[in-house]
Amino acid sequence: MSPAAASRIAVVTGASSGIGAATARQLAAAGYRVVLTARRKDRIEALADELNATGHQATAYTLDVTDRAAVDEFAGAFKTIGVLVNNAGGALGADPVATGDPADWRQMYETNVIGTLNVTQALLPALTASGDGTVVVLSSTAGFSTYEGGGGYVAAKHAEHVLAETLRLEIVGTPVRVIEVAPGMVKTDEFALTRFGGDEEKAAKVYAGVAQPLTAEDVADTITWAITRPSHVNIDLLVVRPRAQASNAKVHREL
């Protein structure tokens, strides 16, 4: 289903790699003009060039979602937009609560929660003005259950889930949907590697023996499906896991 003209702009945060980049590609294929934001200018410009070269419409904008002044300046360029995908975020470290680095906890909260808050607040008027807006919050199954070594990330994702749930209550009656997509185990090039500070051995252990973790494309397909439902249909919360994962703590591994 092609988006209406007034709702054709889709902003994707954290679009430089992984789920964000995959979502931008799939939304472009669905007929949206995508605005790619991330801190890594070279990555989003390369993706914009790729999409434009194949007949789609894409613009790259370097943005740190934790910088409120920069977010406000970015949002000032839009009178209306149709879709905001809050994808920027990530995990740092896997230490227990007793020894976790408060700086890591703070950074995860700033990126996952405050970053989502900043961009959503700044773009909500333009989403409302479109007459058919959609806010997507990409949370995680970590937003619903905890696991050892995940305290900081779990705390941030719980907060992000509550942000989405509360926003939906507060703006009901306006022409804006709030969709939350919560993936389980997703194997991307950077998520686990970033979490473990570039330690490839530790990152590989996350997926060891799991036949088919989710891919970035799997999650992007889920996000795009939810966005492209008829505008009166709101997918409040969609949890998506690989078949091998029954919960955060129970994963089938063929070792």
Side-chain angles (χ1 to χ4, degrees), residues 94-102 105 146-152 155:
D95 297 321
V97 172
T99 57
D101 186 344
W105 282 56
T146 190
Y147 56 92
E148 293 168 295

Side-chain angles (χ1 to χ4, degrees), residues 11-214:
V11 174
V12 182
T13 69
S16 58
S17 65
I19 294 169
T23 299
R25 288 187 178 98
Q26 293 198 27
L27 287 176
Y32 287 91
R33 179 163 72 85
V34 292
V35 180
L36 316 169
T37 76
R39 291 174 298 176
R40 293 182 290 185
K41 182 174 185 285
D42 58 331
R43 293 279 192 106
I44 53 173
E45 287 185 345
L47 178 55
D49 289 344
E50 171 200 317
L51 292 172
N52 289 323
T54 55
H56 301 305
Q57 297 182 68
T59 304
Y61 191 102
T62 307
L63 184 66
D64 179 349
V65 296
T66 67
D67 183 340
R68 184 54 187 258
V71 170
D72 286 342
E73 182 180 355
F74 165 72
F78 302 97
K79 291 184 178 179
T80 67
I81 66 167
V83 175
L84 166 61
V85 180
N86 285 297
N87 168 73
L92 295 171
D95 297 321
V97 172
T99 57
D101 186 344
D104 286 346
W105 282 56
R106 187 173 295 109
Q107 186 173 340
M108 284 187 282
Y109 192 87
E110 286 285 337
T111 306
N112 290 281
V113 185
I114 303 302
T116 295
L117 177 67
N118 284 340
V119 183
T120 301
Q121 284 184 338
L123 288 176
L124 194 56
L127 286 155
T128 305
S130 75
D132 187 15
T134 300
V135 176
V136 176
V137 174
L138 188 74
S139 62
S140 168
T141 54
F144 305 97
S145 62
T146 190
Y147 56 92
E148 293 168 295
Y153 182 62
V154 166
K157 286 301 184 181
H158 269 70
E160 195 173 18
H161 162 66
V162 169
L163 186 160
E165 193 171 52
T166 305
L167 177 64
R168 190 180 301 114
L169 292 172
E170 292 172 344
I171 66 171
V172 67
T174 72
V176 180
R177 301 180 295 179
V178 180
I179 293 170
E180 180 181 359
V181 176
M185 181 182 284
V186 185
K187 186 176 183 180
T188 64
D189 291 338
E190 296 187 317
F191 180 83
L193 199 61
T194 298
R195 183 170 203 166
F196 294 109
D199 189 321
E200 294 183 1
E201 185 176 352
K202 285 184 177 180
K205 285 182 180 178
V206 173
Y207 312 105
V210 180
Q212 289 183 298
L214 295 178

